[in-house]
Amino acid sequence: MNPCRGRIFLSIFVALLMISISDSFSAEDRKRDNAPAFIKAEIYYVSWDIDTRSKLTTKDVRKLYWIRISIREETEVNKFVNWLRLDEMKLAAVPEQEDARLAIDLFKADGKRVTYYASQFNILSEDSRSKRGIDEEFRRKFRFENRTK
């Protein structure tokens, strides 16, 4: 093989490798940039254990809340969003409104609101198309009772 051809081949190979690496970093950066960054969270809660005559909606929970929590520091908002593990939600086979006990409004910098809600058993997207199960640890985060029992 001609030494010049080898150098040209090596140069082309290195250039393509660098482009490939650059593209993968760019894709990761774009993925991070497109991830929803929220600047505020409003959380409304009624008891997990109350009996109702009909299913509560997020609108009902916002109106009848027992506890309201506002998070206005962006880092803390996004820690809360990570704790919710929304990325683990799966598409529901048949989207069905569940009996809401917790409403979570997340606000983006442009003012758009994204709402999630929780029933006694699941956390769901506002339209109930995505959900994941919740456990006692999740429910306990919103109870302010004596925990030394």
Side-chain angles (χ1 to χ4, degrees), residues 33-140:
D33 289 342
N34 291 334
F38 299 103
I39 61 165
K40 181 172 83 170
E42 298 287 337
I43 305 156
Y44 304 85
Y45 167 72
V46 297
S47 175
W48 299 112
D49 304 316
I50 63 169
D51 291 325
T52 59
R53 292 179 190 216
S54 60
K55 291 180 181 178
L56 296 177
T57 65
T58 54
K59 185 176 179 180
D60 296 329
V61 174
R62 284 188 204 102
K63 188 169 77 173
L64 304 170
Y65 67 87
W66 294 10
I67 297 171
R68 179 179 174 192
I69 301 168
S70 295
I71 307 172
R72 299 190 181 279
E73 201 286 316
E74 189 173 341
T75 302
E76 296 302 319
V77 171
N78 287 291
K79 284 181 190 177
F80 173 69
V81 170
N82 288 336
W83 177 83
L84 290 172
R85 299 183 352 242
L86 300 173
D87 58 328
E88 294 179 19
M89 295 174 72
K90 305 283 187 226
L91 287 176
V94 179
E96 183 178 332
Q97 173 72 34
E98 296 187 19
D99 192 2
R101 301 309 170 98
L102 178 76
I104 301 167
D105 293 328
L106 303 171
F107 296 88
K108 296 181 180 183
D110 62 5
K112 290 184 182 173
R113 179 179 75 186
V114 179
T115 299
Y116 295 90
Y117 75 96
S119 68
Q120 294 169 314
F121 309 105
N122 296 296
I123 183 168
L124 303 95
S125 58
E126 186 174 28
D127 62 6
S128 303
R129 290 178 188 238
S130 298
K131 67 180 181 178
R132 76 165 180 83
I134 61 172
D135 56 14
E136 186 58 31
E137 178 185 347
F138 181 97
R139 289 185 289 274
R140 195 177 312 122

